[in-house]
């Protein structure tokens, strides 16, 4: 088949094939280590968040490589994404075929060995507190999660080739009723079926539409692959044991660092929730503002955890504040609980804290001439802690500009009433009110960035401005309509380096990146960080 033959090998030839197959796995692991060392060296030598170190050529090259082929879809990949995926798959394919000769079973077994050799790295990329965050400057979000998904697709493709080639071999050699029914092969078949269930549940539309099903299948079926593949063939066990050790370490650490407490739920408006979570003083590592926490609510969804940004933390009061948009699922059920009671509603919750919030970002104020923070709606939960931090840093706040687009005044209420940075927000925030409609259909840009005609009337305009003035926000800082981000970035980027921090709907971050990419190609020094959760 395709120039390959079913060969009967002597014992020395079998030993040589086994040595060649083992070397495939060794070369893959060694290649991964080399790539990580090179990536870490580049990050530390030419940090993109240190414009005074990174050359203009590298800055332009990085933006060209990281620019997606389409800004209209969150699933669109960049040249760097496709280059990394196809480059790695091409390297694996060369390792699989390089010593195969015309031996059909060598190629078949090599595909399985190559897939198994990728398991430890795949597990590292899936860990919530992966050591790789020091290489990519994030936790499990962003780049690490994208690499996890990409490597998972490659592993699936390799195992599909492995299974297909073996089925052809069994059919051609009349072993479908004998070898295929032996326990080691059945373990491999069962593992392959489970893997296909995981892959199917991981498709983007399934993750978005049925996230709870995706999460439960991913977390319950994945551990079953370890014993099945362990029994399937002995040559894979070293990689499986390393992967299992990483899996157990990650789960054990997450379990030991969980905090059981209670949360008070308030519904600020029709689509905004405010949670105040009690945190005992004995908590060893309190959450950092701007970091993420994973919230599990046993009474609502005991099997899933939802990521939220820490909007504020007060050690004196012993609480953490979270602001969230009401959507389907957990937040919708929380809103129902809040609406069903006239008094404060307290519910038991479980926290996992201090994800995200790369420590390198603490020094942004010393590396850039100006800082632009853009928030859309509840993305202010990311902006407010940044403003608070910059206010405590000498000469940083004066170089900072905050653009906050929101659909109604309620979005701002928590920031100017309960936040410890209320006074600074009133002084620095440039508020853009874009809608008061509750029935607008949300797009990728989010309702915060949609134009509206409901504020065009003089009465509505005066009433809205009056509400903001009561909150302490001067009317000179309020604009009715969407912000012209291109004009803002053009103004602030002229003649110096700029750090742009964005949190909001996907379309808002994509739009800012598109504008920034054009500015970088013109030779300006712009660095963008978009806050996002892994999906």
């Amino acid at each position: 088949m395709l120039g390959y033959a079913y060969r009967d090998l002597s014992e020395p030839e079998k030993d040589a094939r086994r040595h060649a197959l083992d070397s495939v796995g060794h070369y893959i692991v060694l290649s991964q280590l080399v790539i990580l060392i090179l990536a870490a060296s580049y990050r530390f030598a030419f940090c993109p968040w240190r414009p005074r170190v990174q050359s203009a050529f590298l800055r332009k090259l990085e933006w060209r490589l990281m620019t997606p082929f389409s800004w209209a879809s969150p699933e669109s990949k960049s040249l760097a994404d496709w280059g990394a995926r196809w480059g790695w798959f091409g390297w694996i394919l060369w390792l699989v075929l390089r010593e195969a000769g015309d031996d059909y079973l060598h190629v078949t077994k090599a595909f399985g060995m190559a897939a198994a050799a990728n398991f430890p790295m795949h597990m590292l990329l899936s860990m919530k507190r992966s050591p790789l965050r020091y290489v990519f400057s994030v936790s499990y979000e962003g780049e690490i999660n994208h690499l996890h998904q990409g490597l998972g697709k490659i592993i699936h493709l390799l195992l599909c080739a492995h299974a297909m080639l073996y089925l052809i071999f069994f059919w051609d050699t009349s072993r479908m009723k004998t070898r295929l029914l032996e326990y080691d092969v059945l373990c491999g078949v069962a593992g392959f079926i489970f893997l296909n269930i995981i892959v199917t549940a991981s498709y983007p539309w399934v993750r978005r539409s049925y996230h709870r099903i995706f999460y439960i299948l991913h977390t319950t079926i994945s551990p079953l692959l370890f014993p099945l593949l362990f029994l399937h063939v002995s040559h894979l066990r070293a990689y499986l044991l390393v992967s299992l050790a990483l899996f157990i370490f990650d789960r054990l650490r997450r379990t030991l660092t969980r905090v059981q407490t209670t949360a008070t739920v308030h519904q600020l408006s029709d689509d905004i929730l405010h949670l105040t979570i009690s945190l005992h003083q004995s908590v060893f590592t309190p959450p950092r503002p701007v970091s993420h926490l994973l919230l599990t609510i046993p009474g609502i969804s005991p099997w899933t955890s939802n990521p939220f940004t820490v909007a504020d933390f007060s050690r004196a009061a012993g609480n953490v504040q979270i602001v969230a948009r009401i959507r389907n699922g957990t937040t919708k059920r929380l809103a129902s609980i809040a609406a069903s009671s006239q008094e404060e509603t307290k519910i038991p919750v479980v926290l996992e804290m201090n994800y995200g919030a790369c420590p390198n970002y603490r020094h942004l104020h010393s590396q850039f001439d100006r800082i632009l923070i853009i928030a859309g709606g509840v993305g202010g939960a990311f902006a407010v802690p940044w403003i608070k931090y910059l206010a405590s840093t000498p000469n940083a706040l004066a170089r900072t500009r905050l653009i906050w687009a929101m659909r109604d005044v309620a979005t701002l209420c928590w920031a100017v009433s309960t936040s410890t940075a209320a006074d600074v927000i009133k002084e620095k925030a440039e508020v853009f009110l874009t809608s008061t409609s509750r029935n607008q259909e949300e797009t990728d840009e989010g309702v915060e960035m949609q134009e509206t005609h409901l504020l065009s009337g003089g009465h509505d305009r005066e009433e809205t401005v009056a509400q903001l003035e009561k909150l302490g926000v001067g009317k000179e800082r309020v604009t009715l309509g969407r912000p012209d981000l291109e004009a803002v970035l053009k103004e602030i980027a002229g003649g110096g380096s700029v750090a742009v921090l964005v949190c909001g709907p996907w379309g808002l971050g994509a739009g800012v990146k598109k504008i920034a990419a054009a500015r970088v190609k013109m030779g300006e020094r712009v660095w963008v960080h978009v806050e996002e959760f892994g999906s």
Side-chain angles (χ1 to χ4, degrees):
M1 177 181 177
L2 299 177
Y4 294 96
Y6 305 139
R7 296 182 56 193
D8 292 326
L9 303 181
S10 63
E11 288 302 320
E13 287 175 325
K14 289 182 180 179
D15 292 338
R17 182 170 68 185
R18 172 47 46 201
H19 176 76
L21 291 172
D22 290 340
S23 69
V24 171
H26 299 159
Y27 279 123
I28 287 175
V29 174
L30 182 61
S31 301
Q32 291 170 343
L33 291 175
V34 170
I35 291 172
L36 288 179
I37 292 173
L38 292 176
S41 300
Y42 174 80
R43 282 281 177 176
F44 288 110
F46 307 104
C47 297
W49 59 85
R50 294 169 59 189
R52 295 181 175 88
V53 174
Q54 191 181 40
S55 68
F57 171 77
L58 287 176
R59 187 162 53 249
K60 291 180 182 180
L61 178 62
E62 185 170 311
W63 272 96
R64 290 185 183 277
L65 291 176
M66 298 302 294
T67 298
F69 289 106
S70 172
W71 293 103
S73 170
E75 303 303 328
S76 179
K77 303 303 179 184
S78 65
L79 183 61
D81 290 326
W82 287 114
R85 294 185 185 194
W86 286 107
W88 182 244
F89 181 72
W91 172 246
I92 291 176
L93 193 61
W94 182 80
L95 291 175
V96 166
L97 301 177
R98 71 187 186 99
E99 293 188 54
D102 62 347
D103 187 353
Y104 181 91
L105 285 181
H106 180 111
V107 176
T108 305
K109 294 173 183 288
F111 275 116
M113 177 61 72
N118 280 284
F119 286 164
M121 180 57 64
H122 192 249
M123 188 57 60
L124 270 175
L125 293 169
S126 72
M127 293 171 63
K128 296 299 185 186
R129 300 190 188 277
S130 173
L132 298 181
R133 68 185 185 273
Y134 297 110
V135 177
F136 298 103
S137 304
V138 292
S139 179
Y140 67 99
E141 308 87 357
E143 296 172 13
I144 289 184
N145 189 59
H146 296 158
L147 290 172
H148 170 71
Q149 296 172 6
L151 186 58
K153 292 176 182 178
I154 291 175
I155 291 174
H156 181 239
L157 190 59
L158 293 171
L159 290 178
C160 283
H162 175 73
M164 181 189 68
L165 292 175
Y166 252 124
L167 286 175
I168 293 173
F169 171 72
F170 290 154
W171 179 266
D172 289 347
T173 57
S174 302
R175 302 184 186 188
M176 294 292 284
K177 295 182 180 180
T178 55
R179 186 74 178 96
L180 188 61
L181 300 179
E182 296 181 12
Y183 86 96
D184 58 330
V185 178
L186 288 176
C187 287
V189 171
F192 184 65
I193 292 172
F194 285 153
L195 179 67
N196 279 280
I197 294 174
I198 295 173
V199 170
T200 302
S202 300
Y203 279 112
W205 69 270
V206 178
R207 291 202 313 268
R208 289 194 299 267
S209 304
Y210 307 97
H211 187 270
R212 185 172 299 178
I213 295 176
F214 153 75
Y215 183 85
I216 292 174
L217 290 176
H218 216 72
T219 54
T220 56
I221 295 181
S222 297
L224 299 178
L225 295 178
F226 292 115
L228 289 173
L229 297 181
F230 187 88
L231 296 173
H232 176 56
V233 62
S234 62
H235 308 295
L236 310 180
R237 290 175 181 174
Y239 304 108
L240 291 172
L241 290 175
V242 172
S243 303
L244 181 61
L246 292 172
F247 176 81
I248 293 174
F249 173 77
D250 183 51
R251 293 291 169 176
L252 185 62
R253 183 171 180 177
R254 290 181 61 185
T255 301
L256 295 176
T257 56
R258 284 175 179 164
V259 178
Q260 295 186 359
T261 181
T262 59
T264 303
V265 186
H266 299 278
Q267 187 169 349
L268 299 181
S269 67
D270 290 348
D271 63 345
I272 298 177
L273 276 180
H274 179 257
L275 279 73
T276 303
I277 302 174
S278 302
L279 201 60
H280 197 271
Q281 296 287 344
S282 62
V283 174
F284 181 74
T285 307
R288 300 183 302 270
V290 184
S291 65
H292 305 158
L293 58 78
L294 297 179
L295 183 68
T296 303
I297 306 174
I300 294 180
S301 53
W303 302 109
T304 59
S305 55
N306 298 90
F308 294 96
T309 299
V310 176
D312 200 8
F313 168 68
S314 172
R315 184 180 291 275
N319 62 50
V320 176
Q321 294 187 43
I322 293 174
V323 181
R325 169 72 60 78
I326 299 174
R327 299 182 183 274
N328 294 324
T330 300
T331 52
K332 187 175 182 179
R333 298 170 84 174
L334 282 173
S336 299
I337 292 174
S340 63
S341 176
Q342 299 296 328
E343 301 178 355
E344 288 190 348
T345 305
K346 287 191 175 183
I347 56 173
V349 297
V350 180
L351 301 181
E352 296 178 49
M353 296 180 290
N354 288 322
Y355 292 112
C358 173
N360 293 314
Y361 296 169
R362 294 176 303 174
H363 306 295
L364 283 179
H365 66 277
S366 63
Q367 296 294 334
F368 291 88
D369 299 317
R370 299 179 185 86
I371 299 174
L372 174 62
I373 302 175
I374 303 173
V378 294
F382 170 79
V384 170
W386 262 112
I387 289 293
K388 179 182 177 181
Y389 168 72
L390 294 170
S392 64
T393 305
N395 303 319
L397 192 61
R399 297 181 285 115
T400 302
R401 188 172 175 183
L402 170 60
I403 304 292
W404 194 347
M406 58 189 70
R407 65 182 296 178
D408 55 30
V409 179
T411 307
L412 189 66
C413 287
W414 69 271
V416 297
S417 57
T418 61
S419 169
T420 54
D423 293 336
V424 184
I425 295 298
K426 296 174 186 178
E427 177 187 347
K428 293 296 295 185
E430 299 177 35
V431 178
F432 290 81
L433 276 169
T434 60
S435 176
T436 57
S437 173
R438 304 297 180 192
N439 300 315
Q440 278 186 283
E441 182 179 354
E442 185 170 358
T443 64
D444 285 333
E445 281 192 302
V447 292
E448 295 85 3
M449 297 301 292
Q450 294 180 32
E451 292 289 2
T452 177
H453 300 287
L454 297 179
L455 293 177
S456 56
H459 176 72
D460 290 335
R461 184 185 300 271
E462 292 175 2
E463 182 181 352
T464 302
V465 173
Q467 290 177 351
L468 288 170
E469 287 183 325
K470 287 181 180 180
L471 294 174
V473 180
K475 61 181 179 181
E476 70 279 359
R477 308 197 67 81
V478 180
T479 302
L480 303 181
R482 62 186 297 168
D484 187 348
L485 297 178
E486 187 170 1
V488 170
L489 198 55
K490 180 180 179 180
E491 177 185 346
I492 199 172
S497 57
V498 181
V500 184
L501 308 174
V502 186
C503 185
W506 172 85
L508 176 61
V512 172
K513 283 185 176 180
K514 183 179 181 180
I515 297 169
R519 308 304 304 179
V520 171
K521 292 175 183 177
M522 294 169 60
E524 295 180 356
R525 293 178 292 171
V526 181
W527 174 80
V528 178
H529 168 73
V530 177
E531 186 78 350
E532 61 181 358
F533 296 119
S535 58

